């Protein structure tokens, strides 16, 4: 749990001006929660979660509301501490098991796009505690005209945030693989989650015969149509190779780069390890086959054939050391040391070719992105990508 905001009860509008002068900034928003009879006035870092706690001034909008009764009894002053949680129902059960009484059985809609519950102050040292859970705005999908057909891009985060392009792995999609990270990054970036050609929602595009360069050209096209400024880039696995190809070809478009689980210099043995399980997916891996049909729709068999062909050609299509040496963006190369497909030596080698690179080896981590500790990984990579 992290401190999200501090609530202060006020009994006259002059106190808003007082806090404006004190903090040297205007409120970033005001919002009435009519059902609770309260007007909220927020100060802080644009409401960016996880950056720094905010101040929430609370003004009664009618007599007899909870905040009006509080002001009658105690006058203006410190009202509550609010902690951000990621699963409020679970935390309600958890605090109840600790003998702390929630003031409601279920979370209610609160200000600032949150679901909230208050805890009984008699059980928490006389301090009123609020638990808040952010409710995500559903991401928007847009289409860009790629060189081989339309490409689907999930767009989220503030319109004026620094751009971040996020690329998933082979046979994956934004929704399946990278959205969990995007949810942690969209508070501070304008995030573009590109579904690679033939994948996910980019169904109008075939990936047959595509190379790193073709996928890189798709990403460059998406950046050109959406970003409007040099962008941070994150890629996982195949998406990481694409990100490296973009940064090598167009250093001017890439401000910072993070790649995870990457290998762009494949051996024949690595190809066999990867395409073996893809040969007869329906017979050998029926659960995976169903999943692929869900993610990519009826064209999933074509996509598997496309990705198999792409993979089999990889030993002849290295991204060369000379290409990697052209990458000028500060780069974070991360890798699990238990990656079943690519030895961590690939990551070390990639890191050594890039002028301004750091290496981040995660102990015990296998290749699938589902194994990541999302909170700590997103924090580390997000901090790296936003470092000025
Ligand atoms: Co509050």
């Amino acid at each position: 749990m992290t401190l999200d905001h501090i609530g202060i009860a006020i009994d006259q509008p002059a106190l808003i001006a007082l806090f404006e002068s004190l903090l040297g900034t205007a409120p970033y928003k005001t919002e009435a929660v009519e059902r609770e009879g309260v007007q909220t006035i927020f100060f802080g870092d644009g409401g960016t979660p996880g950056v720094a706690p905010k101040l929430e001034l609370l003004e009664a909008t009618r007599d007899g509301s909870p905040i009006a009764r509080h002001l009658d009894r105690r006058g203006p002053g410190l009202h509550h501490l609010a902690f951000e949680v990621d699963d409020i129902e679970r935390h309600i059960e958890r605090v109840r098991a600790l003998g702390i009484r929630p003031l409601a059985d279920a979370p209610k809609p609160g200000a600032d796009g949150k679901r909230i519950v208050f805890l009984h102050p008699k059980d928490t040292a006389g301090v009123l505690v609020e638990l808040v859970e952010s409710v995500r705005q559903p991401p928007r999908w847009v289409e860009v005209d790629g060189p081989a057909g339309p490409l689907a891009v999930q767009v989220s985060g503030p319109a004026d945030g620094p751009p971040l392009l996020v690329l998933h792995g082979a046979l994956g999609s934004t929704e399946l693989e990278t959205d969990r990270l995007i949810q942690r990054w969209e508070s501070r970036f304008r995030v573009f989650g590109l579904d690679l050609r033939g994948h996910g929602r980019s169904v109008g595009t075939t990936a047959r015969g595509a190379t790193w360069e073709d996928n890189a050209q798709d990403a460059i096209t998406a950046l050109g149509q959406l970003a409007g400024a040099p962008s941070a880039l994150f890629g996982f696995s195949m998406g990481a190779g694409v990100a490296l190809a973009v940064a090598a070809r167009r250093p001017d478009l890439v401000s910072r780069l993070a790649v995870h689980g990457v290998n762009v210099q494949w051996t024949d043995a690595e190809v066999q390890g990867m395409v073996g399980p893809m040969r007869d997916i329906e017979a050998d891996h029926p659960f995976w086959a169903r999943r692929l049909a869900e993610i990519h729709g009826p064209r999933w068999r074509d996509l598997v054939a496309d990705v198999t062909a792409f993979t089999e050609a990889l030993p002849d299509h290295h991204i060369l050391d000379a290409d990697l040496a052209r990458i000028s963006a500060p780069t974070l190369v991360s890798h699990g040391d238990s990656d079943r497909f690519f030895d961590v030596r690939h990551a070390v080698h990639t890191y050594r070719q890039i002028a301004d690179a750091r290496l981040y080896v995660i102990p015990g981590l296998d290749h699938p992105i589902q194994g990541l500790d999302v909170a700590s990984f997103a924090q580390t990579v997000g901090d790296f990508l936003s470092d000025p």
Side-chain angles (χ1 to χ4, degrees):
M1 301 207 302
T2 54
L3 187 59
D4 178 79
H5 65 264
I6 296 165
I8 297 172
I10 59 169
D11 59 356
Q12 47 180 308
L15 293 175
I16 301 171
L18 172 78
F19 277 96
E20 280 195 36
S21 311
L22 175 65
L23 301 170
T25 179
Y28 70 87
K29 76 170 194 172
T30 64
E31 183 181 345
V33 183
E34 235 4 275
R35 199 172 35 75
E36 300 295 318
V38 66
Q39 170 83 3
T40 63
I41 299 103
F42 282 94
F43 289 88
D45 192 4
T48 307
V51 173
K54 295 163 280 187
L55 279 191
E56 178 190 33
L57 305 186
L58 304 141
E59 221 181 352
T61 56
R62 61 178 147 79
D63 288 345
S65 73
I67 195 71
R69 291 202 307 272
H70 176 93
L71 284 163
D72 287 345
R73 280 199 311 272
R74 306 250 191 115
L78 207 54
H79 181 261
H80 68 271
L81 300 182
F83 294 93
E84 167 94 29
V85 296
D86 51 11
D87 178 351
I88 195 165
E89 275 87 2
R90 185 171 67 78
H91 282 276
I92 288 174
E93 288 316 307
R94 193 177 64 84
V95 300
R96 210 178 253 137
L98 298 172
I100 298 167
R101 290 165 289 173
L103 292 178
D105 289 330
K108 294 190 279 191
D112 212 17
K114 311 276 193 186
R115 302 163 72 218
I116 65 158
V117 68
F118 284 98
L119 308 180
H120 202 300
K122 286 216 168 73
D123 298 341
T124 47
V127 179
L128 181 59
V129 170
E130 178 186 22
L131 303 182
V132 303
E133 180 194 75
S134 294
V135 182
R136 189 190 195 198
Q137 299 299 318
R140 210 158 54 81
W141 283 85
V142 301
E143 211 171 81
V144 301
D145 293 323
L151 296 161
V153 183
Q154 177 185 296
V155 181
S156 60
D160 59 351
L164 166 61
L165 181 71
V166 176
L167 303 171
H168 61 78
L171 297 181
S173 71
T174 299
E175 222 165 322
L176 178 72
E177 289 186 338
T178 46
D179 187 57
R180 289 185 312 151
L181 295 166
I182 289 174
Q183 289 185 41
R184 308 250 170 188
W185 291 333
E186 66 193 12
S187 59
R188 46 176 160 164
F189 293 98
R190 178 69 157 177
V191 190
F192 305 106
L194 170 66
D195 275 4
L196 296 172
R197 57 169 74 182
H199 290 73
R201 300 196 187 199
S202 292
V203 285
T205 315
T206 173
R208 191 62 52 90
T211 62
W212 293 122
E213 286 299 303
D214 294 320
N215 284 287
Q217 193 52 52
D218 288 348
I220 289 167
T221 303
L223 285 174
Q225 292 183 29
L226 296 170
S231 178
L233 238 64
F234 171 80
F236 162 63
S237 196
M238 176 180 168
V242 176
L244 290 172
V246 171
R249 186 197 272 203
R250 292 293 305 272
D252 56 309
L253 294 181
V254 182
S255 58
R256 299 180 77 87
L257 172 65
V259 290
H260 179 69
V262 71
N263 175 19
V264 291
Q265 300 182 350
W266 288 55
T267 64
D268 289 315
E270 285 164 340
V271 170
Q272 290 320 310
M274 189 66 92
V275 301
M278 301 197 301
R279 283 222 174 80
D280 198 355
I281 291 185
E282 280 169 291
D284 298 341
H285 308 280
F287 176 79
W288 189 22
R290 278 200 299 279
R291 200 79 189 90
L292 289 170
E294 276 169 35
I295 301 158
H296 309 292
R299 288 187 62 259
W300 75 270
R301 286 184 194 82
D302 293 334
L303 177 64
V304 171
D306 292 351
V307 169
T308 301
F310 172 83
T311 306
E312 285 172 332
L314 282 174
D316 301 321
H317 287 101
H318 284 185
I319 296 181
L320 303 171
D321 289 353
D323 300 319
L324 298 174
R326 279 204 297 275
I327 296 174
S328 56
T331 301
L332 180 66
V333 180
S334 61
H335 209 90
D337 75 352
S338 304
D339 191 311
R340 76 181 80 171
F341 296 124
F342 312 134
D343 193 275
V344 70
R345 279 174 300 184
H346 282 295
V348 175
H349 180 83
T350 301
Y351 145 80
R352 286 192 174 135
Q353 310 314 310
I354 299 172
D356 182 1
R358 281 186 233 175
L359 182 63
Y360 170 26
V361 176
I362 304 171
L365 179 68
D366 192 0
H367 190 74
I369 200 167
Q370 286 78 7
L372 274 180
D373 174 345
V374 172
S376 86
F377 183 81
Q379 185 76 45
T380 303
V381 174
D383 286 351
F384 178 83
L385 290 175
S386 57
D387 204 342

